Amino acid sequence: SESLWSSLVQSLGIWIQYSDSFHVDLFLVWFFSALCQSNNISTNGTIQLHHTDKATAVSLLRDASFYDIHQLSASFFTIAIKFAMRHVIGTFDSIDQSSETVLMLRKKLSHGIDQTQSECHTLLNQANSVRTGCNNQNISSVKRLDEISTCLSILASAPLELSISPENISLMEGLVTIDLIISTAMKKLEQEERSDWTKLEKALATNRCIIAGILSRLLKGERTNSCLDILNDQLLDKIPNSSNSLLSSTSDALSELLVYCVEYIEKDTTILQSFFDKFNVLIEDRGEDKAVFRFKTTLARAIMKKMNMLLRRNYFVTKSATSSRKSAYDLFLEIARTLRRKMWKDIVRRISFNENSCCNSAPSYALLLASEMLSFWGYFFHRVDNSDPLDEELRSTYKDDVVKVFELVSSSYHEFSATLDNFNSLKYFLASMTACSQYLMFCIPPHAVIETIMDIMKISFLVKRDSPLLEAALCSLIKDAQLDHMEFITTHALKSSEEPAYATKIFLLLITVVKSQEQIKHLASLSETFLAIMMGLVRSKCDTPSEEAANVALFSKAAAALISRKELLLLSGREIAMILCEMSQFLFIGGRGKELDASDDFIIFKSCCSVISAMVAHYPKQLYGCPPPLFNLLLVLLTHLLNTTPKTGLVPKALEYARVCELLVPHKDVFRKHVVGLVLRYIQALNEAMTPTVKAKLMPSIYALLDMCSEFETKQINSMIDVPSKALFAPVFQSYQKYYQYHGQS
């Protein structure tokens, strides 16, 4: 039999127009009940579930148009949160709700909020009772964990954005209720060594992701202190052995809460002070345990990172106009000083690899926090007025800190590169410091900074790890580099010519960033040398096809960048022909006894097309003198395309090839006689039983090629093919005459 709900889902777009809030809420209750039901058929409250309901609800969940129904999207968050709350609240047996502490919390929560207007607020009171009473009461095992996790996951992934409205306060209170009870249960379950702890942790991490999203949608004029005070306590409450996902979601929520407090400070001067007071309690913990230090530094880093962002956006750059109250400026400086005073020695000790216990010292977390702290002071000194007498002492302290950490990093980067987490933290440190490169150079000699970054980049290439952060760091230095710094960078790169991938990458960064005439002149004198290194890159032997594909992609980026900057090197026809001839071998990588996967295959194909496009755009006249290498490469690409299937990237490759063909149309007076060979290769493939899919995807390319042909080339093609081929080609040509119209430049 079929569920009646299936009929309602099928006619959803019709009846929803005439429904009221009761019908919408009831439908959403069924929706979440069906999605969250277990394998056994069950009844959820007044909603009777059918064995087909879950499949129906899942299909609705995957339908993008479902979220466009305004009546449903308006109540989606509210019903989902209440649904999850009822599951969570019902997981506890008996809690003593008559204690003085519970009564005090209730009184505190009810201040300034009309309790009759918010069911969520009442449940928040109960949740605080749970948190308070759990020390002396036994908490039953959490039931229906899968239902809770599923509901929260649906809510976190729903493509809906809340509007800024007072109703979000009730949603926040509901989520804080869930947070309170789940985190309380986790502590008890961990002590009792229950296996449900991991599921609870996943639910808590998802819940905090949702909280972070809703925090940014709260009205800054609404009084939500009671809810946010509890949330602040929860986020800063240590949960031992937290996973990375839980730490990440907690950090996101804490960052958004900080932004809310900063924007709320004009209406309530105590809310930001309260936030930092509770944060001070966290960093007072001087425990040596790695898990505690990891939790503390992760949250401290989240706060410092958000402070950096606010500083860069000019949220606070001046001191308070009155001496009676502290502004955000005063509080941020105060917390930055406090953090340094209480944690800096421990951070430096953990960054050092001289200790016997270095494997347990969490250097990656320490270095990430140090990066944010030093970056904050760097931006601060770069923006504020230097007339303050306190600045001199702060600057001296900051310089000493930068020098100390940089010395530790530069002397231990081989140890940092041994593990991925440590190596990533090292890259982040260098990138964050060079983001304010002028002030970094005030503390560290430029050559030392450049040499360290380039040495670590070289290690990154040797171990086959991407390093976009190091590339960003080097680019920041290149922008403001003097001639002697440029000479140092190019000399260092040329000394590493035995590693052509690394040298080519440095050259690509230089091409992309250099702007001053002095920099351009110096780089132009070395461009021919770097071009030779680039050619050596694609000729070098590699262990795997993926490595060869990466080298081809790097070569194409560098070649396209060099082609676009004629002031660095004006390529001759001979050099253009050399590059094209070399590229015609790229697509035969898979034929050397190695198999390319679809992604590597597409990278090589796209790389070839990008270089051809750059040449057509910047060197058309040089191409006029060497069309054979160009059309030989186009023939290789077309042959490769004819042997490609939809599963191996036919669609994106066909689009790339069509773009190249259309770029040639404005130059048809020169290239039309060379197009004949490409069209004949296509006709040959028609005779070889080309699939309809390949034929359809190649049509734009073939239309562009036919548009380049004059009447003479058309007759030449007809004279070179047999009768069966003419029968196959005639519909294609008629379709071109009927439908094709060139839209490019004339």
Side-chain angles (χ1 to χ4, degrees):
S1 63
E2 190 177 75
S3 170
L4 294 177
W5 289 100
S6 299
S7 301
L8 285 175
V9 169
Q10 292 173 9
S11 58
L12 178 61
I14 300 174
W15 66 261
I16 199 70
Q17 305 297 329
Y18 308 99
S19 62
D20 56 22
S21 59
F22 172 78
H23 300 114
V24 172
D25 291 353
L26 187 62
F27 180 79
L28 287 173
V29 169
W30 164 82
F31 175 73
F32 287 108
S33 300
L35 284 173
C36 299
Q37 69 172 312
S38 59
N39 293 329
N40 299 322
I41 306 304
S42 61
T43 301
N44 187 290
T46 59
I47 303 295
Q48 181 69 40
L49 298 177
H50 191 269
H51 64 87
T52 61
D53 282 358
K54 187 167 186 176
T56 304
V58 168
S59 64
L60 194 61
L61 180 70
R62 295 172 177 172
D63 186 356
S65 63
F66 170 69
Y67 303 98
D68 294 332
I69 302 174
H70 173 70
Q71 293 89 336
L72 293 175
S73 61
S75 303
F76 192 89
F77 273 85
T78 303
I79 298 301
I81 291 174
K82 288 183 179 181
F83 182 89
M85 284 168 58
R86 286 192 174 91
H87 277 67
V88 174
I89 293 290
T91 60
F92 294 87
D93 285 335
S94 60
I95 297 296
D96 180 10
Q97 299 186 15
S98 61
S99 67
E100 293 183 5
T101 308
V102 173
L103 294 175
M104 181 186 70
L105 282 169
R106 284 183 171 181
K107 183 177 180 181
K108 178 181 178 182
L109 286 167
S110 61
H111 177 69
I113 300 179
D114 186 356
Q115 201 165 343
T116 62
Q117 295 180 359
S118 175
E119 178 188 10
C120 295
H121 180 67
T122 303
L123 292 172
L124 183 56
N125 287 340
Q126 296 174 3
N128 275 281
S129 302
V130 169
R131 182 178 64 173
T132 308
C134 71
N135 295 324
N136 301 316
Q137 299 290 330
N138 291 325
I139 298 179
S140 67
S141 62
V142 179
K143 308 167 188 175
R144 301 186 295 272
L145 285 178
D146 292 334
E147 288 89 335
I148 297 170
S149 295
T150 301
C151 182
L152 293 173
S153 298
I154 293 169
L155 194 56
S157 60
L160 295 172
E161 184 174 348
L162 285 169
S163 59
I164 299 178
S165 65
E167 287 76 15
N168 293 339
I169 298 172
S170 297
L171 299 180
M172 180 59 67
E173 289 178 339
L175 291 168
V176 174
T177 301
I178 296 171
D179 194 281
L180 277 166
I181 298 178
I182 294 179
S183 59
T184 302
M186 284 178 65
K187 294 178 182 178
K188 299 295 289 185
L189 289 173
E190 190 200 27
Q191 293 171 9
E192 299 170 13
E193 298 182 355
R194 294 185 181 272
S195 59
D196 291 335
W197 193 88
T198 303
K199 292 183 178 179
L200 279 172
E201 184 185 45
K202 180 182 177 182
L204 184 62
T206 307
N207 189 63
R208 291 184 175 178
C209 285
I210 303 170
I211 287 175
I214 294 183
L215 268 171
S216 62
R217 314 305 296 170
L218 290 179
L219 278 174
K220 302 303 181 287
E222 297 293 333
R223 182 172 179 79
T224 58
N225 296 30
S226 56
C227 175
L228 296 184
D229 281 344
I230 298 169
L231 177 61
N232 197 8
D233 290 337
Q234 281 300 109
L235 296 177
L236 295 175
D237 190 18
K238 291 189 291 292
I239 298 178
N241 302 316
S242 301
S243 66
N244 289 334
S245 61
L246 179 56
L247 282 176
S248 176
S249 59
T250 302
S251 300
D252 292 341
L254 198 63
S255 317
E256 292 298 332
L257 181 58
L258 174 60
V259 174
Y260 180 90
C261 293
V262 171
E263 295 183 348
Y264 197 86
I265 195 169
E266 293 183 1
K267 295 184 177 293
D268 188 344
T269 58
T270 63
I271 186 170
L272 186 60
Q273 181 68 62
S274 174
F275 178 92
F276 282 135
D277 287 344
K278 293 171 182 177
F279 177 65
N280 279 332
V281 175
L282 173 69
I283 61 178
E284 284 286 356
D285 188 347
R286 298 181 179 275
E288 293 293 324
D289 183 71
K290 180 181 177 181
V292 174
F293 180 80
R294 176 170 163 263
F295 179 86
K296 184 170 61 175
T297 52
T298 301
L299 298 193
R301 182 200 171 203
I303 291 176
M304 288 301 304
K305 189 174 183 179
K306 186 60 68 172
M307 287 168 56
N308 275 327
M309 185 201 74
L310 295 175
L311 179 62
R312 295 170 194 177
R313 294 183 180 180
N314 295 320
Y315 263 66
F316 59 97
V317 290
T318 56
K319 296 185 178 182
S320 175
T322 63
S323 57
S324 60
R325 52 175 282 197
K326 290 184 177 180
S327 66
Y329 174 96
D330 302 316
L331 291 171
F332 274 51
L333 290 186
E334 183 179 306
I335 197 64
R337 289 190 177 110
T338 302
L339 195 61
R340 186 198 177 279
R341 185 173 65 253
K342 293 181 178 180
M343 295 190 66
W344 188 252
K345 289 184 179 179
D346 194 23
I347 289 171
V348 172
R349 180 177 62 82
R350 290 176 183 271
I351 292 174
S352 174
F353 276 85
N354 295 327
E355 298 181 6
N356 295 328
S357 59
C358 64
C359 59
N360 298 318
S361 62
S364 62
Y365 294 95
L367 187 56
L368 289 173
L369 178 55
S371 303
E372 300 297 346
M373 293 169 66
L374 296 176
S375 180
F376 174 84
W377 287 113
Y379 270 97
F380 173 77
F381 290 129
H382 182 64
R383 295 195 175 222
V384 300
D385 186 10
N386 297 335
S387 60
D388 193 329
L390 293 176
D391 282 352
E392 191 61 36
E393 181 182 353
L394 284 173
R395 288 173 190 273
S396 177
T397 303
Y398 168 78
K399 181 177 180 180
D400 293 341
D401 291 344
V402 172
V403 171
K404 179 63 177 176
V405 175
F406 188 82
E407 286 177 352
L408 289 173
V409 165
S410 58
S411 62
S412 307
Y413 60 77
H414 288 287
E415 289 83 354
F416 271 98
S417 62
T419 62
L420 184 60
D421 287 342
N422 291 345
F423 198 38
N424 288 339
S425 66
L426 175 60
K427 296 176 184 178
Y428 186 87
F429 167 74
L430 293 170
S432 62
M433 294 306 298
T434 53
C436 190
S437 58
Q438 292 180 348
Y439 218 81
L440 176 64
M441 300 305 182
F442 166 76
C443 304
I444 308 292
H447 285 182
V449 178
I450 294 171
E451 184 176 17
T452 300
I453 292 175
M454 295 186 72
D455 285 343
I456 298 172
M457 278 189 69
K458 190 172 182 180
I459 293 175
S460 185
F461 267 87
L462 291 174
V463 297
K464 305 296 185 296
R465 291 176 183 168
D466 292 333
S467 55
L469 288 174
L470 294 178
E471 294 166 17
L474 187 58
C475 287
S476 297
L477 298 177
I478 293 173
K479 287 179 181 178
D480 303 317
Q482 303 296 326
L483 181 59
D484 58 330
H485 303 156
M486 284 289 297
E487 292 174 349
F488 183 84
I489 293 172
T490 52
T491 302
H492 191 285
L494 290 174
K495 286 181 180 178
S496 305
S497 57
E498 72 280 0
E499 294 292 337
Y502 168 72
T504 302
K505 188 65 178 183
I506 298 298
F507 184 49
L508 173 59
L509 297 178
L510 290 168
I511 295 173
T512 307
V513 177
V514 294
K515 290 183 179 180
S516 69
Q517 291 297 322
E518 194 176 50
Q519 291 177 332
I520 292 173
K521 184 178 180 181
H522 172 70
L523 190 58
S525 65
L526 299 171
S527 292
E528 290 187 357
T529 304
F530 278 111
L531 177 60
I533 294 174
M534 289 165 51
M535 300 307 298
L537 171 65
V538 293
R539 293 169 182 168
S540 60
K541 293 183 178 180
C542 301
D543 297 330
T544 63
S546 295
E547 188 178 343
E548 290 196 49
N551 287 349
V552 170
L554 178 58
F555 168 81
S556 69
K557 290 178 183 178
L562 183 61
I563 288 168
S564 65
R565 301 204 61 172
K566 293 184 178 180
E567 69 273 23
L568 293 177
L569 180 62
L570 188 63
L571 296 175
S572 64
R574 181 180 62 84
E575 290 164 332
I576 293 287
M578 176 187 67
I579 294 173
L580 291 171
C581 290
E582 198 67 43
M583 289 170 58
S584 64
Q585 304 297 318
F586 291 170
L587 290 168
F588 292 101
I589 289 176
R592 301 174 190 170
K594 306 174 183 178
E595 293 186 0
L596 283 170
D597 59 30
S599 59
D600 292 336
D601 197 33
F602 175 67
I603 288 173
I604 295 175
F605 191 93
K606 184 178 180 180
S607 298
C608 294
C609 292
S610 64
V611 175
I612 295 174
S613 299
M615 287 183 174
V616 173
H618 298 281
Y619 287 93
K621 294 183 179 179
Q622 283 79 359
L623 286 174
Y624 294 168
C626 54
L630 171 62
F631 281 87
N632 177 62
L633 179 56
L634 289 172
L635 181 60
V636 170
L637 293 172
L638 179 59
T639 302
H640 179 83
L641 199 52
L642 291 169
N643 296 321
T644 305
T645 64
K647 291 184 178 180
T648 55
L650 172 64
V651 175
K653 289 179 183 177
L655 288 173
E656 292 292 333
Y657 194 75
R659 292 191 187 102
V660 173
C661 291
E662 293 208 350
L663 286 174
L664 296 174
V665 175
H667 310 281
K668 58 185 177 182
D669 291 339
V670 177
F671 293 140
R672 60 170 47 124
K673 60 183 179 181
H674 301 280
V675 172
V676 174
L678 300 178
V679 177
L680 290 174
R681 179 65 185 91
Y682 173 76
I683 296 172
Q684 180 186 357
L686 287 176
N687 277 313
E688 296 170 353
M690 182 189 299
T691 64
T693 303
V694 174
K695 183 177 179 180
K697 298 305 177 184
L698 278 176
M699 279 302 179
S701 304
I702 300 305
Y703 287 165
L705 294 176
L706 290 174
D707 195 53
M708 296 175 65
C709 297
S710 65
E711 184 179 355
F712 176 79
E713 281 76 32
T714 305
K715 290 180 179 179
Q716 184 181 8
I717 292 171
N718 279 315
S719 66
M720 297 178 70
I721 58 178
D722 54 19
V723 175
S725 298
K726 289 179 181 179
L728 293 171
F729 181 62
V732 176
F733 191 77
Q734 291 169 3
S735 174
Y736 153 72
Q737 291 178 315
K738 184 175 181 180
Y739 298 112
Y740 181 74
Q741 182 178 2
Y742 174 64
H743 297 286
Q745 297 177 351
S746 59

